Amino acid sequence: MNKSTDPQGKPLPSLCAHHIDPHAYPDGVAFLDGQYLPMSQARISVLDWGFLHSDATYDTVHVWEGRFFRLDLHLDRFFGGLEKLRMTIAFDRDGVAEILHYCVALSGHRAAYVEMLCTRGASPTFSRDPRDAVNRFMAFAVPFGSVANAEQLQRGLHVAISDKVRIPPASIDPAIKNYHWLDLVRGLYDAYDRGAETALLLDFNGNVAEGPGFNVFCVDDGKLSTPAVGVLPGITRRTVFDLCAEAGLAVAAADVSVAALRQSDEVFITSTAGGIMPVTMIDGIPVADGKVGAITRRLMAAYWQKHDDPVWSSPVRYP
């Protein structure tokens, strides 16, 4: 049999010497295997457990007007996730911070979304034992992006509450940032099908949990509350607690029922990708008068003002 044909005599395809990627990527710089690369050149193996099993942890920090915001807190959470997942990398905190700085400086971005991540990696022998995998650290900086666009920040997001249940803490510790997003993606499609712009999922008790990449707060009689169970303890969520302490506002982590959220005076979401973002419509019904609330606006302004504060931010060392 001719080795260049299959059993039916059909010619075999050519074996390419290397991959030609037809896709487009955002402008940015990545760090991978000791190299700083354009985003289009940052790749992982299809055998990496991060891809095959979502076996990875990560954290994202943003740069605004040339300054990292609360980088130390993001590093704390990233290294905490590594420890809990029994992953090791060749860099300490200072080393990772330096890599993130270089990614941003080489990209030239003054406003950037910056991610550090570690996958379980791959086993040289394709072993199914995670202890045999070589863990792989990566980082990148791309232009800053927000959960809410400029129009939505002005008039407030329109949110739908999905009946999908967020992965419970007994299964995945929510304090470990991870790529287990299928519940969140299903919730997003629920929201899109109902004409909303993003979604909130429930916890295992039927209370409000969180959305795709964000926490949620509600305001009632001047007091703030945010779901306590089954949610990522977000850095921006923590920042709201810190801002409330400075402003003398009461805030607590507690169960938030669907009914309570819908009846709130104000609602907003929080994320590194956008900061504090108002919600003015839930399941097609306006929140209160349907306008961005006074406390939400006050916290939004305070949040961005803190980006110049050297206690809360640190400068990027651009060339």
Side-chain angles (χ1 to χ4, degrees), residues 2-247:
N2 189 328
K3 293 183 179 180
S4 63
T5 63
D6 65 16
Q8 285 75 42
K10 184 178 179 180
L12 294 176
S14 300
L15 182 64
C16 296
H18 58 83
H19 174 243
I20 299 174
D21 193 340
H23 302 285
Y25 296 88
D27 179 36
V29 170
F31 174 86
L32 182 64
D33 298 329
Q35 306 160 66
Y36 292 91
L37 306 162
M39 285 302 301
S40 61
Q41 298 300 308
R43 301 163 183 163
I44 65 168
S45 167
V46 295
L47 299 180
D48 193 299
W49 280 39
F51 171 70
L52 291 178
H53 305 304
S54 294
D55 190 351
T57 189
Y58 72 104
D59 214 289
T60 54
V61 58
H62 74 233
V63 168
W64 190 253
E65 295 184 346
R67 300 181 69 88
F68 279 100
F69 188 64
R70 312 209 83 173
L71 176 57
D72 285 347
L73 296 182
H74 288 280
L75 289 169
D76 288 344
R77 188 168 60 185
F78 178 62
F79 277 89
L82 291 176
E83 181 178 2
K84 291 176 181 178
L85 292 179
R86 304 191 187 192
M87 292 179 177
T88 58
I89 62 175
F91 309 98
D92 60 13
R93 284 173 58 97
D94 290 342
V96 171
E98 182 176 66
I99 289 167
L100 299 181
H101 273 87
Y102 285 149
C103 285
V104 178
L106 289 169
S107 76
H109 295 316
R110 306 287 299 184
Y113 178 92
V114 189
E115 185 162 323
M116 62 200 96
L117 62 135
C118 183
T119 70
R120 186 70 59 189
S123 162
T125 61
F126 198 51
S127 165
R128 298 184 67 84
D129 187 335
R131 296 171 298 182
D132 295 334
V134 180
N135 302 160
R136 202 169 188 200
F137 172 77
M138 293 160 260
F140 63 81
V142 294
F144 179 78
S146 173
V147 173
N149 61 34
E151 177 192 350
Q152 292 163 345
L153 288 171
Q154 286 298 315
R155 50 101 165 145
L157 282 156
H158 298 171
V159 172
I161 300 176
S162 171
D163 61 0
K164 303 301 183 291
V165 175
R166 192 71 174 107
I167 298 173
S171 299
I172 299 292
D173 182 350
I176 305 171
K177 280 185 73 72
N178 60 73
Y179 295 126
H180 298 280
W181 268 56
L182 290 184
D183 52 351
L184 297 171
V185 172
R186 293 180 70 205
L188 274 174
Y189 275 100
D190 286 344
Y192 298 153
D193 289 344
R194 290 151 58 184
E197 295 161 337
T198 192
L200 283 167
L201 274 66
L202 305 178
D203 68 17
F204 52 89
N205 291 318
N207 295 311
V208 176
E210 61 186 348
F214 58 81
N215 296 115
V216 63
F217 284 79
C218 56
V219 182
D220 291 287
D221 297 325
K223 299 178 180 179
L224 289 82
S225 57
T226 188
V229 177
V231 301
L232 173 76
I235 304 303
T236 313
R237 177 179 182 266
R238 172 172 171 173
T239 298
V240 169
F241 277 78
D242 295 338
L243 293 173
C244 285
E246 289 190 1

Side-chain angles (χ1 to χ4, degrees), residues 251-280:
V251 59
D255 288 342
V256 176
S257 69
V258 172
L261 189 76
R262 288 175 175 157
Q263 295 166 9
S264 296
D265 298 330
E266 303 178 35
V267 176
F268 61 84
I269 63 172
T270 60
S271 174
T272 295
I276 297 171
M277 297 162 279
V279 172
T280 52

